[in-house]
Amino acid sequence: MKKSTVTEIRERFDNEVERFSNLETGQVATMDAKMVLELITCTARAVKPQAKTILDVGCGAGNYTLKMLSKVSDLDCTLIDLSQNMLDKAQERVSAATSGKVQTIQGDIREIELPQNHFDIILAGAVLHHLRTDAEWELVFKKLFDSLTPGGCLLISDLLIQDHPEVNKLVWKMYANYLQQHGGAEYQQKVFDYIEKEDTPRSMTFQLELMKKVGFSSTEILHKNACFGAFGGIK
């Protein structure tokens, strides 16, 4: 199947701002969304308790940054997203929660220039699975690594595949069952159809190895449930 273009992905998210604005539940289609939001931001605080700057890649309506601000106050926040509608919502919500600077950048992380050694915390929630080729993955991981301050952390929560095909079938069957319990068979098929069209997830193993390759001094696995995981690297 031909994958969605960047424009098609942007247009979809332009129309889904409210669905991505719920801090209490997170994304229902994402397993353990609320718990992972808490876990990732607690981890960022543990790694960088004196953090001053945060970059939220694919920020959506700003949930990850808002949760981070509940742990470390008054951060200078840089928010990146394809969708201007999402950025407008995120800027409104985040600006009300910090006395720090709030900068928004509309665009594709593959093309945006980032400052070097600048961000104490980088969060990437449910966004990197839109990367396509190995070269794109390495480009983005290197860009994010270079943009971190020494001792800074990149923390990711995302959709994943498994490296072994039979294990991959198993975890995606688990996810199908989860979706059916929440919305029935039709809902499960709808989610699987847009994943097939829009997403190209990679395994956690692939991403952790890539982190080491681009220079991260250590990596951490925080959580894994079926085809969703939370993990990261420290510069």
Side-chain angles (χ1 to χ4, degrees):
M1 174 186 286
K2 185 180 178 182
K3 293 289 185 180
S4 299
T5 65
V6 170
T7 299
E8 288 169 337
I9 293 170
R10 185 185 69 239
E11 288 171 349
R12 183 170 80 81
F13 284 106
D14 276 345
N15 295 314
E16 299 202 358
V17 173
E18 292 310 314
R19 189 163 74 88
F20 284 86
S21 300
N22 194 328
L23 262 179
E24 293 308 310
T25 62
Q27 273 294 93
V28 175
T30 301
M31 298 169 74
D32 301 330
K34 184 179 178 182
M35 183 267 284
V36 166
L37 192 63
E38 181 73 13
L39 178 60
I40 277 190
T41 50
C42 281
T43 301
R45 179 182 59 189
V47 173
K48 272 283 190 176
Q50 306 302 320
K52 303 297 182 190
T53 51
I54 180 173
L55 170 64
D56 191 341
V57 182
C59 66
N63 284 355
Y64 272 83
T65 296
L66 285 170
K67 184 63 79 170
M68 194 68 244
L69 287 166
S70 74
K71 309 286 192 305
V72 181
S73 61
D74 297 330
L75 294 164
D76 287 341
C77 306
T78 300
L79 312 172
I80 293 176
D81 205 272
L82 286 175
S83 166
Q84 187 62 49
N85 292 356
M86 287 287 190
L87 285 171
D88 291 345
K89 184 70 169 183
Q91 183 170 34
E92 174 192 327
R93 298 169 82 206
V94 170
S95 295
T98 182
S99 63
K101 299 173 189 171
V102 179
Q103 178 187 16
T104 63
I105 304 171
Q106 183 188 13
D108 187 327
I109 188 59
R110 289 167 288 200
E111 299 169 355
I112 293 168
E113 281 193 35
L114 297 177
Q116 304 282 295
N117 302 303
H118 181 77
F119 298 108
D120 296 317
I121 297 166
I122 298 178
L123 303 181
V127 61
L128 298 181
H129 62 259
H130 291 129
L131 298 174
R132 302 296 187 216
T133 66
D134 285 4
E136 288 180 357
W137 280 90
E138 185 164 347
L139 169 77
V140 170
F141 272 50
K142 183 68 166 67
K143 181 181 291 191
L144 297 178
F145 173 81
D146 289 343
S147 195
L148 281 170
T149 57
C153 57
L154 165 63
L155 294 171
I156 297 167
S157 68
D158 216 338
L159 183 69
L160 303 166
I161 58 169
Q162 299 294 136
D163 292 311
H164 190 285
E166 294 306 316
V167 180
N168 197 51
K169 286 180 189 175
L170 172 66
V171 299
W172 282 81
K173 184 177 180 182
M174 292 167 63
Y175 183 38
N177 291 338
Y178 166 86
L179 291 171
Q180 287 174 19
Q181 289 169 12
H182 279 77
E186 186 176 337
Y187 174 63
Q188 179 255 308
Q189 192 58 52
K190 178 182 176 183
V191 173
F192 272 40
D193 285 348
Y194 84 66
I195 288 172
E196 176 66 22
K197 179 169 176 54
E198 193 168 287
D199 303 339
T200 40
R202 297 297 181 94
S203 71
M204 190 185 293
T205 303
F206 170 85
Q207 294 178 67
L208 293 171
E209 289 175 351
L210 189 53
M211 283 183 185
K212 290 286 192 172
K213 180 180 179 182
V214 302
F216 283 91
S217 62
S218 64
T219 56
E220 296 290 346
I221 297 171
L222 304 174
H223 180 69
K224 176 79 164 59
N225 187 2
C227 52
F228 289 90
F231 54 100
I234 301 165
K235 187 169 180 176

